Amino acid sequence: LVKSKRMVCRSITSACLTESGFEPSGIKMARMRSNDIEACVVSANEILIARSNTAELVGRVAMFPGQPSGVVASDLTIRIWAREKVEPLFLTTYLSFLYVTGFWRTRAGGASATMKKITRRQMTSLPVPLPAIEIQRAIVNSVHARTTAVRQLASALQSELHAVGELPASFLRSA
Protein backbone atom coordinates (compact mmCIF):
# COMPACT_ATOMS: atom_id res chain seq x y z
CA LEU A 1 0.00 0.00 0.00
CA VAL A 2 1.31 3.43 -0.95
CA LYS A 3 0.45 6.08 1.57
CA SER A 4 -1.00 9.25 0.11
CA LYS A 5 0.69 12.51 1.04
CA ARG A 6 -1.50 15.15 2.69
CA MET A 7 -1.53 18.54 1.02
CA VAL A 8 -3.00 21.91 1.87
CA CYS A 9 -5.80 23.07 -0.44
CA ARG A 10 -8.56 25.67 -0.55
CA SER A 11 -11.76 24.06 0.70
CA ILE A 12 -15.38 25.17 0.44
CA THR A 13 -17.03 25.30 3.85
CA SER A 14 -20.69 25.66 4.75
CA ALA A 15 -19.97 29.38 5.28
CA CYS A 16 -19.74 29.60 1.46
CA LEU A 17 -23.36 28.44 1.12
CA THR A 18 -25.73 31.33 1.69
CA GLU A 19 -29.32 32.22 0.84
CA SER A 20 -28.05 34.87 -1.56
CA GLY A 21 -25.57 32.61 -3.37
CA PHE A 22 -22.01 31.38 -3.12
CA GLU A 23 -19.82 33.40 -0.75
CA PRO A 24 -16.10 32.87 -1.51
CA SER A 25 -15.01 34.45 1.79
CA GLY A 26 -16.05 31.15 3.44
CA ILE A 27 -13.23 29.25 1.68
CA LYS A 28 -10.66 27.98 4.17
CA MET A 29 -7.37 26.17 3.93
CA ALA A 30 -7.61 22.45 4.71
CA ARG A 31 -5.46 19.34 4.54
CA MET A 32 -6.47 16.58 2.15
CA ARG A 33 -4.84 13.45 0.76
CA SER A 34 -3.18 14.38 -2.51
CA ASN A 35 -4.82 11.52 -4.43
CA ASP A 36 -8.30 12.78 -3.34
CA ILE A 37 -7.88 16.40 -4.39
CA GLU A 38 -8.55 15.98 -8.13
CA ALA A 39 -11.87 14.18 -7.53
CA CYS A 40 -12.99 16.88 -5.08
CA VAL A 41 -12.31 19.95 -7.26
CA VAL A 42 -15.61 21.75 -7.82
CA SER A 43 -16.67 22.94 -11.27
CA ALA A 44 -18.93 25.77 -12.41
CA ASN A 45 -22.68 25.27 -11.88
CA GLU A 46 -22.27 22.47 -9.34
CA ILE A 47 -24.89 22.72 -6.64
CA LEU A 48 -23.46 22.32 -3.15
CA ILE A 49 -25.54 21.33 -0.12
CA ALA A 50 -24.39 21.25 3.51
CA ARG A 51 -25.01 17.61 4.45
CA SER A 52 -23.89 17.89 8.06
CA ASN A 53 -24.24 20.89 10.33
CA THR A 54 -26.37 22.30 13.11
CA ALA A 55 -30.13 21.86 12.70
CA GLU A 56 -30.36 25.51 11.60
CA LEU A 57 -27.71 25.19 8.86
CA VAL A 58 -28.05 21.65 7.51
CA GLY A 59 -29.38 21.73 3.95
CA ARG A 60 -28.00 25.18 3.16
CA VAL A 61 -27.34 25.38 -0.56
CA ALA A 62 -25.57 27.46 -3.22
CA MET A 63 -24.46 27.02 -6.79
CA PHE A 64 -20.71 27.32 -7.37
CA PRO A 65 -20.15 30.07 -9.97
CA GLY A 66 -16.83 28.65 -11.18
CA GLN A 67 -14.55 31.08 -9.39
CA PRO A 68 -12.24 30.86 -7.63
CA SER A 69 -10.93 27.89 -9.59
CA GLY A 70 -9.29 24.85 -8.05
CA VAL A 71 -11.29 24.81 -4.81
CA VAL A 72 -12.43 21.51 -3.36
CA ALA A 73 -15.63 20.40 -1.65
CA SER A 74 -15.32 18.88 1.79
CA ASP A 75 -16.83 15.55 2.76
CA LEU A 76 -19.56 17.52 4.57
CA THR A 77 -20.93 18.68 1.21
CA ILE A 78 -23.34 16.94 -1.14
CA ARG A 79 -22.49 17.82 -4.74
CA ILE A 80 -25.16 17.61 -7.42
CA TRP A 81 -25.45 18.64 -11.05
CA ALA A 82 -28.61 19.67 -12.84
CA ARG A 83 -29.75 17.25 -15.54
CA GLU A 84 -30.50 18.25 -19.08
CA LYS A 85 -33.56 20.52 -19.32
CA VAL A 86 -33.06 21.65 -15.72
CA GLU A 87 -31.81 25.19 -15.20
CA PRO A 88 -29.11 24.93 -12.46
CA LEU A 89 -30.24 28.22 -10.88
CA PHE A 90 -33.84 26.97 -10.80
CA LEU A 91 -32.80 23.80 -8.97
CA THR A 92 -30.61 25.84 -6.62
CA THR A 93 -33.47 28.27 -5.95
CA TYR A 94 -35.88 25.41 -5.24
CA LEU A 95 -33.43 23.70 -2.86
CA SER A 96 -32.73 27.03 -1.17
CA PHE A 97 -36.48 27.50 -0.71
CA LEU A 98 -36.60 24.12 1.06
CA TYR A 99 -33.75 25.19 3.35
CA VAL A 100 -35.22 28.61 4.15
CA THR A 101 -38.63 27.14 4.99
CA GLY A 102 -37.12 24.66 7.47
CA PHE A 103 -37.70 21.54 5.38
CA TRP A 104 -34.42 19.90 6.43
CA ARG A 105 -34.67 20.84 10.12
CA THR A 106 -37.45 18.31 10.55
CA ARG A 107 -35.95 15.64 8.29
CA ALA A 108 -32.26 15.66 9.19
CA GLY A 109 -31.07 12.75 11.26
CA GLY A 110 -28.23 12.22 13.67
CA ALA A 111 -27.77 11.18 17.26
CA SER A 112 -26.55 14.61 18.34
CA ALA A 113 -28.92 17.53 18.66
CA THR A 114 -26.09 19.85 17.64
CA MET A 115 -24.98 17.96 14.52
CA LYS A 116 -27.68 16.94 12.07
CA LYS A 117 -27.19 15.14 8.78
CA ILE A 118 -28.99 14.68 5.51
CA THR A 119 -28.08 12.01 3.01
CA ARG A 120 -27.52 11.96 -0.73
CA ARG A 121 -30.41 9.49 -0.96
CA GLN A 122 -32.74 12.01 0.75
CA MET A 123 -31.56 14.68 -1.66
CA THR A 124 -31.86 12.62 -4.83
CA SER A 125 -35.28 11.22 -3.90
CA LEU A 126 -36.82 14.68 -3.54
CA PRO A 127 -39.66 15.37 -5.93
CA VAL A 128 -38.74 18.58 -7.75
CA PRO A 129 -41.44 20.35 -9.79
CA LEU A 130 -40.02 20.89 -13.27
CA PRO A 131 -41.88 23.27 -15.55
CA ALA A 132 -40.55 23.91 -19.06
CA ILE A 133 -37.03 25.37 -19.16
CA GLU A 134 -38.36 28.79 -20.25
CA ILE A 135 -40.63 28.90 -17.20
CA GLN A 136 -37.76 27.79 -14.95
CA ARG A 137 -35.69 30.73 -16.26
CA ALA A 138 -38.60 33.15 -15.79
CA ILE A 139 -39.03 31.98 -12.19
CA VAL A 140 -35.30 32.41 -11.51
CA ASN A 141 -35.38 35.93 -13.02
CA SER A 142 -38.44 36.85 -10.96
CA VAL A 143 -36.94 35.55 -7.71
CA HIS A 144 -33.65 37.29 -8.46
CA ALA A 145 -35.40 40.62 -9.15
CA ARG A 146 -37.39 40.37 -5.94
CA THR A 147 -34.44 39.40 -3.75
CA THR A 148 -32.40 42.23 -5.27
CA ALA A 149 -35.23 44.67 -4.44
CA VAL A 150 -35.43 43.33 -0.88
CA ARG A 151 -31.64 43.67 -0.41
CA GLN A 152 -31.76 47.26 -1.72
CA LEU A 153 -34.65 48.08 0.61
CA ALA A 154 -32.84 46.52 3.58
CA SER A 155 -29.73 48.55 2.75
CA ALA A 156 -31.76 51.78 2.49
CA LEU A 157 -33.49 51.06 5.80
CA GLN A 158 -30.13 50.33 7.45
CA SER A 159 -28.85 53.70 6.19
CA GLU A 160 -31.93 55.47 7.53
CA LEU A 161 -31.53 53.74 10.89
CA HIS A 162 -27.90 54.80 11.02
CA ALA A 163 -28.91 58.41 10.18
CA VAL A 164 -31.49 58.39 12.99
CA GLY A 165 -28.84 57.04 15.37
CA GLU A 166 -26.61 59.99 14.50
CA LEU A 167 -29.23 62.54 15.59
CA PRO A 168 -28.61 64.26 18.93
CA ALA A 169 -30.35 62.54 21.85
CA SER A 170 -32.09 65.80 22.85
CA PHE A 171 -33.64 66.06 19.39
CA LEU A 172 -34.86 62.45 19.58
CA ARG A 173 -36.39 63.02 23.04
CA SER A 174 -38.32 66.03 21.83
CA ALA A 175 -39.49 64.13 18.74
Side-chain angles (χ1 to χ4, degrees):
L1 250 227
V2 176
K3 237 182 166 183
S4 177
K5 190 168 122 180
R6 293 183 73 76
M7 299 186 64
V8 176
C9 56
R10 293 175 301 155
S11 180
I12 293 170
T13 68
S14 59
C16 295
L17 313 178
T18 75
E19 293 77 18
S20 58
F22 186 83
E23 178 51 58
S25 66
I27 294 172
K28 303 292 180 214
M29 300 307 287
R31 296 183 66 74
M32 182 180 272
R33 286 183 291 205
S34 58
N35 57 348
D36 291 338
I37 290 176
E38 187 177 331
C40 294
V41 172
V42 180
S43 58
N45 298 332
E46 269 190 64
I47 300 167
L48 309 170
I49 303 122
R51 76 163 184 86
S52 181
N53 213 315
T54 62
E56 294 79 27
L57 295 177
V58 70
R60 209 171 202 188
V61 60
M63 187 178 78
F64 181 66
Q67 292 297 321
S69 62
V71 295
V72 299
S74 75
D75 63 343
L76 300 176
T77 306
I78 296 173
R79 300 165 63 185
I80 62 173
W81 297 262
R83 294 186 310 224
E84 189 178 330
K85 298 191 180 185
V86 178
E87 174 62 46
L89 278 174
F90 175 80
L91 183 55
T92 304
T93 300
Y94 178 74
L95 294 173
S96 190
F97 166 78
L98 293 179
Y99 164 74
V100 169
T101 58
F103 181 86
W104 293 114
R105 267 184 243 133
T106 60
R107 288 164 179 82
S112 168
T114 59
M115 188 57 67
K116 295 298 182 182
K117 293 177 176 37
I118 56 176
T119 65
R120 175 172 284 285
R121 177 169 286 163
Q122 284 175 296
M123 190 59 61
T124 57
S125 66
L126 275 175
V128 177
L130 285 177
I133 194 82
E134 299 79 25
I135 296 172
Q136 292 176 42
R137 289 181 181 135
I139 290 169
V140 166
N141 290 337
S142 174
V143 169
H144 177 72
R146 290 173 188 202
T147 55
T148 298
V150 167
R151 272 192 231 112
Q152 289 171 343
L153 179 60
S155 178
L157 291 172
Q158 193 64 34
S159 295
E160 291 293 323
L161 185 60
H162 179 72
V164 168
E166 295 291 311
L167 294 172
S170 59
F171 181 76
L172 291 175
R173 277 193 298 274
S174 66

Short mmCIF file of all heavy atoms in Angstrom, two decimals, residues 12-63:
data_model
loop_
_atom_site.label_atom_id
_atom_site.label_comp_id
_atom_site.label_asym_id
_atom_site.label_seq_id
_atom_site.Cartn_x
_atom_site.Cartn_y
_atom_site.Cartn_z
N ILE A 12 -14.08 24.52 0.26
CA ILE A 12 -15.38 25.17 0.44
C ILE A 12 -15.97 24.70 1.77
O ILE A 12 -16.04 23.50 2.02
CB ILE A 12 -16.31 24.83 -0.73
CG1 ILE A 12 -15.76 25.46 -2.02
CG2 ILE A 12 -17.73 25.28 -0.46
CD1 ILE A 12 -16.46 24.99 -3.28
N THR A 13 -16.38 25.64 2.59
CA THR A 13 -17.03 25.30 3.85
C THR A 13 -18.50 25.68 3.75
O THR A 13 -18.93 26.33 2.80
CB THR A 13 -16.40 26.08 5.03
OG1 THR A 13 -16.71 27.47 4.87
CG2 THR A 13 -14.88 25.88 5.09
N SER A 14 -19.27 25.31 4.77
CA SER A 14 -20.69 25.66 4.75
C SER A 14 -20.89 27.18 4.82
O SER A 14 -21.95 27.68 4.44
CB SER A 14 -21.45 24.96 5.88
OG SER A 14 -20.90 25.30 7.12
N ALA A 15 -19.88 27.91 5.26
CA ALA A 15 -19.97 29.38 5.28
C ALA A 15 -20.04 29.95 3.86
O ALA A 15 -20.46 31.09 3.67
CB ALA A 15 -18.79 29.98 6.03
N CYS A 16 -19.65 29.16 2.86
CA CYS A 16 -19.74 29.60 1.46
C CYS A 16 -21.17 29.51 0.93
O CYS A 16 -21.50 30.12 -0.09
CB CYS A 16 -18.85 28.73 0.57
SG CYS A 16 -17.09 28.86 0.89
N LEU A 17 -22.01 28.71 1.60
CA LEU A 17 -23.36 28.44 1.12
C LEU A 17 -24.33 29.37 1.82
O LEU A 17 -24.60 29.23 3.01
CB LEU A 17 -23.72 26.97 1.39
CG LEU A 17 -22.65 25.94 0.99
CD1 LEU A 17 -23.12 24.54 1.34
CD2 LEU A 17 -22.27 26.07 -0.46
N THR A 18 -24.84 30.35 1.08
CA THR A 18 -25.73 31.33 1.69
C THR A 18 -27.02 31.45 0.89
O THR A 18 -27.09 31.01 -0.26
CB THR A 18 -25.08 32.74 1.76
OG1 THR A 18 -25.09 33.32 0.45
CG2 THR A 18 -23.67 32.69 2.31
N GLU A 19 -28.03 32.05 1.50
CA GLU A 19 -29.32 32.22 0.84
C GLU A 19 -29.21 33.13 -0.38
O GLU A 19 -30.03 33.06 -1.28
CB GLU A 19 -30.35 32.80 1.82
CG GLU A 19 -30.73 31.86 2.93
CD GLU A 19 -29.68 31.77 4.03
OE1 GLU A 19 -28.79 32.66 4.15
OE2 GLU A 19 -29.72 30.78 4.77
N SER A 20 -28.20 33.96 -0.42
CA SER A 20 -28.05 34.87 -1.56
C SER A 20 -27.01 34.39 -2.56
O SER A 20 -26.65 35.11 -3.48
CB SER A 20 -27.72 36.28 -1.07
OG SER A 20 -26.54 36.26 -0.32
N GLY A 21 -26.51 33.16 -2.41
CA GLY A 21 -25.57 32.61 -3.37
C GLY A 21 -24.28 32.17 -2.73
O GLY A 21 -24.14 32.11 -1.51
N PHE A 22 -23.32 31.86 -3.57
CA PHE A 22 -22.01 31.38 -3.12
C PHE A 22 -21.20 32.54 -2.58
O PHE A 22 -21.09 33.58 -3.22
CB PHE A 22 -21.28 30.71 -4.29
CG PHE A 22 -19.99 30.06 -3.88
CD1 PHE A 22 -19.98 28.80 -3.33
CD2 PHE A 22 -18.80 30.74 -4.04
CE1 PHE A 22 -18.79 28.20 -2.94
CE2 PHE A 22 -17.60 30.16 -3.65
CZ PHE A 22 -17.59 28.89 -3.10
N GLU A 23 -20.62 32.35 -1.40
CA GLU A 23 -19.82 33.40 -0.75
C GLU A 23 -18.38 32.91 -0.63
O GLU A 23 -18.06 32.11 0.25
CB GLU A 23 -20.40 33.71 0.63
CG GLU A 23 -19.65 34.75 1.41
CD GLU A 23 -19.39 36.01 0.62
OE1 GLU A 23 -20.36 36.64 0.16
OE2 GLU A 23 -18.21 36.38 0.46
N PRO A 24 -17.47 33.38 -1.52
CA PRO A 24 -16.10 32.87 -1.51
C PRO A 24 -15.30 33.18 -0.24
O PRO A 24 -14.31 32.52 0.02
CB PRO A 24 -15.45 33.53 -2.74
CG PRO A 24 -16.39 34.56 -3.22
CD PRO A 24 -17.73 34.32 -2.60
N SER A 25 -15.75 34.14 0.55
CA SER A 25 -15.01 34.45 1.79
C SER A 25 -15.06 33.28 2.78
O SER A 25 -14.29 33.24 3.73
CB SER A 25 -15.55 35.73 2.44
OG SER A 25 -16.87 35.52 2.88
N GLY A 26 -15.96 32.32 2.55
CA GLY A 26 -16.05 31.15 3.44
C GLY A 26 -15.04 30.07 3.11
O GLY A 26 -14.94 29.06 3.81
N ILE A 27 -14.25 30.24 2.05
CA ILE A 27 -13.23 29.25 1.68
C ILE A 27 -12.11 29.28 2.71
O ILE A 27 -11.63 30.34 3.09
CB ILE A 27 -12.69 29.52 0.26
CG1 ILE A 27 -13.80 29.30 -0.77
CG2 ILE A 27 -11.47 28.65 -0.04
CD1 ILE A 27 -13.44 29.72 -2.18
N LYS A 28 -11.72 28.10 3.16
CA LYS A 28 -10.66 27.98 4.17
C LYS A 28 -9.60 27.01 3.67
O LYS A 28 -9.86 26.17 2.83
CB LYS A 28 -11.23 27.44 5.49
CG LYS A 28 -12.34 28.27 6.07
CD LYS A 28 -11.86 29.61 6.55
CE LYS A 28 -13.01 30.41 7.12
NZ LYS A 28 -12.94 31.80 6.92
N MET A 29 -8.44 27.11 4.24
CA MET A 29 -7.37 26.17 3.93
C MET A 29 -7.62 24.88 4.72
O MET A 29 -8.02 24.93 5.88
CB MET A 29 -6.01 26.76 4.27
CG MET A 29 -5.70 28.04 3.50
SD MET A 29 -5.87 27.90 1.72
CE MET A 29 -4.44 26.94 1.32
N ALA A 30 -7.40 23.74 4.06
CA ALA A 30 -7.61 22.45 4.71
C ALA A 30 -6.56 21.47 4.20
O ALA A 30 -5.96 21.68 3.15
CB ALA A 30 -9.01 21.93 4.42
N ARG A 31 -6.38 20.40 4.96
CA ARG A 31 -5.46 19.34 4.54
C ARG A 31 -6.27 18.20 3.94
O ARG A 31 -7.32 17.84 4.46
CB ARG A 31 -4.64 18.86 5.72
CG ARG A 31 -3.73 19.96 6.27
CD ARG A 31 -2.84 19.50 7.40
NE ARG A 31 -1.85 18.52 7.04
CZ ARG A 31 -0.74 18.75 6.35
NH1 ARG A 31 -0.49 19.96 5.92
NH2 ARG A 31 0.12 17.80 6.09
N MET A 32 -5.77 17.66 2.83
CA MET A 32 -6.47 16.58 2.15
C MET A 32 -5.41 15.66 1.52
O MET A 32 -4.34 16.12 1.13
CB MET A 32 -7.38 17.17 1.06
CG MET A 32 -8.19 16.17 0.31
SD MET A 32 -9.24 16.96 -0.93
CE MET A 32 -10.68 17.31 0.06
N ARG A 33 -5.76 14.39 1.42
CA ARG A 33 -4.84 13.45 0.76
C ARG A 33 -4.68 13.86 -0.70
O ARG A 33 -5.68 14.15 -1.38
CB ARG A 33 -5.36 12.02 0.86
CG ARG A 33 -5.17 11.46 2.26
CD ARG A 33 -5.62 10.05 2.28
NE ARG A 33 -7.08 10.10 2.12
CZ ARG A 33 -7.91 9.18 2.52
NH1 ARG A 33 -7.46 8.08 3.06
NH2 ARG A 33 -9.20 9.31 2.37
N SER A 34 -3.46 13.89 -1.16
CA SER A 34 -3.18 14.38 -2.51
C SER A 34 -3.92 13.59 -3.58
O SER A 34 -4.35 14.16 -4.58
CB SER A 34 -1.67 14.36 -2.78
OG SER A 34 -1.17 13.03 -2.62
N ASN A 35 -4.13 12.29 -3.39
CA ASN A 35 -4.82 11.52 -4.43
C ASN A 35 -6.33 11.73 -4.39
O ASN A 35 -7.03 11.25 -5.27
CB ASN A 35 -4.47 10.03 -4.36
CG ASN A 35 -4.78 9.42 -3.01
OD1 ASN A 35 -5.05 10.12 -2.05
ND2 ASN A 35 -4.70 8.11 -2.93
N ASP A 36 -6.87 12.47 -3.41
CA ASP A 36 -8.30 12.78 -3.34
C ASP A 36 -8.62 14.16 -3.93
O ASP A 36 -9.77 14.43 -4.27
CB ASP A 36 -8.79 12.75 -1.89
CG ASP A 36 -8.81 11.36 -1.30
OD1 ASP A 36 -8.85 10.39 -2.09
OD2 ASP A 36 -8.80 11.25 -0.07
N ILE A 37 -7.64 15.01 -4.01
CA ILE A 37 -7.88 16.40 -4.39
C ILE A 37 -8.54 16.52 -5.76
O ILE A 37 -9.55 17.20 -5.92
CB ILE A 37 -6.58 17.23 -4.32
CG1 ILE A 37 -6.18 17.40 -2.84
CG2 ILE A 37 -6.75 18.59 -4.99
CD1 ILE A 37 -4.86 18.11 -2.63
N GLU A 38 -8.02 15.84 -6.77
CA GLU A 38 -8.55 15.98 -8.13
C GLU A 38 -10.04 15.64 -8.20
O GLU A 38 -10.82 16.34 -8.84
CB GLU A 38 -7.77 15.10 -9.11
CG GLU A 38 -8.16 15.34 -10.54
CD GLU A 38 -7.33 14.52 -11.51
OE1 GLU A 38 -6.18 14.20 -11.21
OE2 GLU A 38 -7.87 14.22 -12.59
N ALA A 39 -10.46 14.59 -7.50
CA ALA A 39 -11.87 14.18 -7.53
C ALA A 39 -12.76 15.16 -6.78
O ALA A 39 -13.98 15.18 -7.00
CB ALA A 39 -12.02 12.78 -6.93
N CYS A 40 -12.19 15.96 -5.91
CA CYS A 40 -12.99 16.88 -5.08
C CYS A 40 -13.04 18.30 -5.62
O CYS A 40 -13.74 19.15 -5.06
CB CYS A 40 -12.43 16.89 -3.66
SG CYS A 40 -12.63 15.30 -2.82
N VAL A 41 -12.29 18.60 -6.70
CA VAL A 41 -12.31 19.95 -7.26
C VAL A 41 -13.71 20.23 -7.82
O VAL A 41 -14.28 19.43 -8.54
CB VAL A 41 -11.24 20.12 -8.36
CG1 VAL A 41 -11.39 21.46 -9.08
CG2 VAL A 41 -9.85 20.02 -7.74
N VAL A 42 -14.25 21.37 -7.45
CA VAL A 42 -15.61 21.75 -7.82
C VAL A 42 -15.59 22.51 -9.15
O VAL A 42 -14.69 23.31 -9.40
CB VAL A 42 -16.23 22.62 -6.70
CG1 VAL A 42 -17.63 23.03 -7.04
CG2 VAL A 42 -16.20 21.87 -5.38
N SER A 43 -16.58 22.25 -9.97
CA SER A 43 -16.67 22.94 -11.27
C SER A 43 -17.87 23.89 -11.30
O SER A 43 -18.77 23.81 -10.46
CB SER A 43 -16.77 21.91 -12.40
OG SER A 43 -17.88 21.08 -12.22
N ALA A 44 -17.87 24.77 -12.27
CA ALA A 44 -18.93 25.77 -12.41
C ALA A 44 -20.29 25.09 -12.51
O ALA A 44 -20.44 24.05 -13.14
CB ALA A 44 -18.68 26.62 -13.65
N ASN A 45 -21.28 25.70 -11.88
CA ASN A 45 -22.68 25.27 -11.88
C ASN A 45 -22.97 24.03 -11.04
O ASN A 45 -24.08 23.51 -11.08
CB ASN A 45 -23.24 25.10 -13.29
CG ASN A 45 -23.22 26.39 -14.06
OD1 ASN A 45 -23.30 27.47 -13.48
ND2 ASN A 45 -23.10 26.30 -15.36
N GLU A 46 -21.99 23.55 -10.28
CA GLU A 46 -22.27 22.47 -9.34
C GLU A 46 -23.11 23.06 -8.22
O GLU A 46 -22.89 24.19 -7.78
CB GLU A 46 -20.98 21.91 -8.73
CG GLU A 46 -20.40 20.78 -9.48
CD GLU A 46 -19.28 20.10 -8.72
OE1 GLU A 46 -19.54 19.54 -7.63
OE2 GLU A 46 -18.14 20.14 -9.22
N ILE A 47 -24.05 22.29 -7.75
CA ILE A 47 -24.89 22.72 -6.64
C ILE A 47 -24.37 22.02 -5.40
O ILE A 47 -24.21 20.80 -5.37
CB ILE A 47 -26.37 22.38 -6.92
CG1 ILE A 47 -26.81 23.10 -8.21
CG2 ILE A 47 -27.24 22.78 -5.73
CD1 ILE A 47 -28.13 22.62 -8.77
N LEU A 48 -24.08 22.82 -4.38
CA LEU A 48 -23.46 22.32 -3.15
C LEU A 48 -24.45 22.44 -2.00
O LEU A 48 -25.05 23.49 -1.81
CB LEU A 48 -22.20 23.12 -2.85
CG LEU A 48 -21.20 23.23 -4.02
CD1 LEU A 48 -20.12 24.23 -3.71
CD2 LEU A 48 -20.62 21.87 -4.34
N ILE A 49 -24.60 21.36 -1.24
CA ILE A 49 -25.54 21.33 -0.12
C ILE A 49 -24.80 20.90 1.14
O ILE A 49 -24.05 19.91 1.11
CB ILE A 49 -26.70 20.36 -0.40
CG1 ILE A 49 -27.41 20.75 -1.70
CG2 ILE A 49 -27.69 20.33 0.75
CD1 ILE A 49 -27.42 19.66 -2.72
N ALA A 50 -25.00 21.63 2.23
CA ALA A 50 -24.39 21.25 3.51
C ALA A 50 -25.09 20.00 4.02
O ALA A 50 -26.26 20.05 4.39
CB ALA A 50 -24.52 22.40 4.51
N ARG A 51 -24.39 18.87 4.03
CA ARG A 51 -25.01 17.61 4.45
C ARG A 51 -24.93 17.37 5.94
O ARG A 51 -25.67 16.56 6.49
CB ARG A 51 -24.43 16.43 3.69
CG ARG A 51 -23.07 16.00 4.15
CD ARG A 51 -22.72 14.60 3.65
NE ARG A 51 -21.45 14.19 4.20
CZ ARG A 51 -21.30 13.61 5.38
NH1 ARG A 51 -22.33 13.35 6.13
NH2 ARG A 51 -20.09 13.29 5.81
N SER A 52 -24.04 18.07 6.62
CA SER A 52 -23.89 17.89 8.06
C SER A 52 -23.58 19.23 8.69
O SER A 52 -22.62 19.90 8.32
CB SER A 52 -22.74 16.90 8.32
OG SER A 52 -22.59 16.69 9.69
N ASN A 53 -24.42 19.60 9.65
CA ASN A 53 -24.24 20.89 10.33
C ASN A 53 -25.23 20.95 11.48
O ASN A 53 -25.90 19.97 11.78
CB ASN A 53 -24.47 22.05 9.34
CG ASN A 53 -23.60 23.24 9.66
OD1 ASN A 53 -23.48 23.63 10.81
ND2 ASN A 53 -23.00 23.82 8.64
N THR A 54 -25.35 22.12 12.08
CA THR A 54 -26.37 22.30 13.11
C THR A 54 -27.74 22.19 12.45
O THR A 54 -27.86 22.32 11.23
CB THR A 54 -26.24 23.69 13.77
OG1 THR A 54 -26.46 24.68 12.76
CG2 THR A 54 -24.88 23.88 14.43
N ALA A 55 -28.77 21.99 13.25
CA ALA A 55 -30.13 21.86 12.70
C ALA A 55 -30.52 23.10 11.90
O ALA A 55 -31.25 23.01 10.92
CB ALA A 55 -31.12 21.61 13.83
N GLU A 56 -30.02 24.27 12.29
CA GLU A 56 -30.36 25.51 11.60
C GLU A 56 -29.64 25.65 10.26
O GLU A 56 -30.11 26.37 9.39
CB GLU A 56 -30.03 26.74 12.46
CG GLU A 56 -30.85 26.86 13.71
CD GLU A 56 -30.36 25.93 14.83
OE1 GLU A 56 -29.16 25.58 14.86
OE2 GLU A 56 -31.19 25.54 15.65
N LEU A 57 -28.51 24.98 10.07
CA LEU A 57 -27.71 25.19 8.86
C LEU A 57 -27.65 23.98 7.93
O LEU A 57 -27.21 24.13 6.79
CB LEU A 57 -26.28 25.60 9.25
CG LEU A 57 -26.16 26.94 9.96
CD1 LEU A 57 -24.72 27.21 10.36
CD2 LEU A 57 -26.70 28.06 9.11
N VAL A 58 -28.09 22.82 8.39
CA VAL A 58 -28.05 21.65 7.51
C VAL A 58 -29.01 21.87 6.34
O VAL A 58 -30.09 22.41 6.49
CB VAL A 58 -28.38 20.34 8.28
CG1 VAL A 58 -29.83 20.27 8.69
CG2 VAL A 58 -27.99 19.12 7.47
N GLY A 59 -28.56 21.54 5.14
CA GLY A 59 -29.38 21.73 3.95
C GLY A 59 -29.16 23.06 3.26
O GLY A 59 -29.76 23.32 2.22
N ARG A 60 -28.31 23.90 3.81
CA ARG A 60 -28.00 25.18 3.16
C ARG A 60 -27.39 24.90 1.80
O ARG A 60 -26.61 23.97 1.64
CB ARG A 60 -27.02 25.95 4.03
CG ARG A 60 -27.13 27.42 3.92
CD ARG A 60 -26.29 28.07 4.96
NE ARG A 60 -26.80 29.42 5.18
CZ ARG A 60 -26.18 30.31 5.91
NH1 ARG A 60 -25.07 30.01 6.53
NH2 ARG A 60 -26.69 31.50 6.05
N VAL A 61 -27.71 25.71 0.81
CA VAL A 61 -27.34 25.38 -0.56
C VAL A 61 -26.88 26.61 -1.33
O VAL A 61 -27.33 27.73 -1.05
CB VAL A 61 -28.53 24.70 -1.28
CG1 VAL A 61 -29.73 25.61 -1.31
CG2 VAL A 61 -28.20 24.25 -2.67
N ALA A 62 -25.98 26.40 -2.28
CA ALA A 62 -25.57 27.46 -3.22
C ALA A 62 -24.98 26.79 -4.45
O ALA A 62 -24.45 25.69 -4.39
CB ALA A 62 -24.54 28.40 -2.59
N MET A 63 -25.07 27.49 -5.56
CA MET A 63 -24.46 27.02 -6.79
C MET A 63 -23.08 27.64 -6.90
O MET A 63 -22.92 28.85 -6.71
CB MET A 63 -25.30 27.40 -8.01
CG MET A 63 -24.78 26.78 -9.29
SD MET A 63 -25.82 27.18 -10.71
CE MET A 63 -25.28 28.84 -11.03
#
